[in-house]
Amino acid sequence: MITTGSVLTLFLAKAFGGYMLAAGLSGLTMRKRWVKIIDEMKASAAISYLAGIVVFAIGCCVVGFHSFWTDPLAVLITLIGWGAILEGVLFLVMPGLILQYSASLLRPAAVPFIAGLAGGAGLALFIVGLFG
């Protein structure tokens, strides 16, 4: 069992895990909705720019308040924050690249694998956050 001394680490593990689980289930049950979201983001510079701002801000908050390198779970949460910063920057400066990549993940053959991976990882992260 992974242990951590930080209540914040456990909270963020549950939050990110719950989000990833919900995203995975959504991908499995509503693939067409995800395709529509990507298509609308490609069509609207404002939406993709705002998405970049939000993701960048979330990443900055995570890294700003949780830059812990003390145990494996803390490192994972901190890396998720850094990943969000990178994703936000890409949305701001190269939205076409990240949206093209996102669209490639929504191919019918890839969706069950990607959604299952996200959901499974989310469930594991959530459980670790609960029992830390």
Side-chain angles (χ1 to χ4, degrees):
M1 178 62 74
I2 296 176
T3 59
T4 187
S6 170
V7 173
L8 179 58
T9 299
L10 295 174
F11 171 78
L12 290 172
K14 289 182 282 196
F16 288 134
Y19 164 75
M20 291 167 63
L21 178 59
L25 291 172
S26 175
L28 288 173
T29 60
M30 295 183 278
R31 180 187 169 278
K32 290 181 182 178
R33 178 178 179 212
W34 282 91
V35 171
K36 185 176 179 183
I37 290 169
I38 297 299
D39 288 343
E40 289 179 7
M41 289 181 80
K42 284 180 180 178
S44 173
I47 292 174
S48 63
Y49 192 81
L50 288 173
I53 291 170
V54 170
V55 173
F56 180 79
I58 289 170
C60 286
C61 287
V62 170
V63 171
F65 290 103
H66 187 283
S67 188
F68 302 148
W69 304 94
T70 55
D71 56 78
L73 183 59
V75 170
L76 178 61
I77 297 300
T78 300
L79 290 174
I80 289 172
W82 279 108
I85 289 172
L86 177 61
E87 182 180 358
V89 168
L90 288 174
F91 262 116
L92 294 172
V93 300
M94 297 180 356
L97 176 70
I98 196 161
L99 290 171
Q100 188 65 33
Y101 174 73
S102 298
S104 74
L105 296 177
L106 295 176
R107 292 185 326 263
V111 169
F113 175 76
I114 299 295
L117 185 65
L123 179 62
L125 193 55
F126 186 82
I127 290 171
V128 169
L130 280 177
F131 301 107

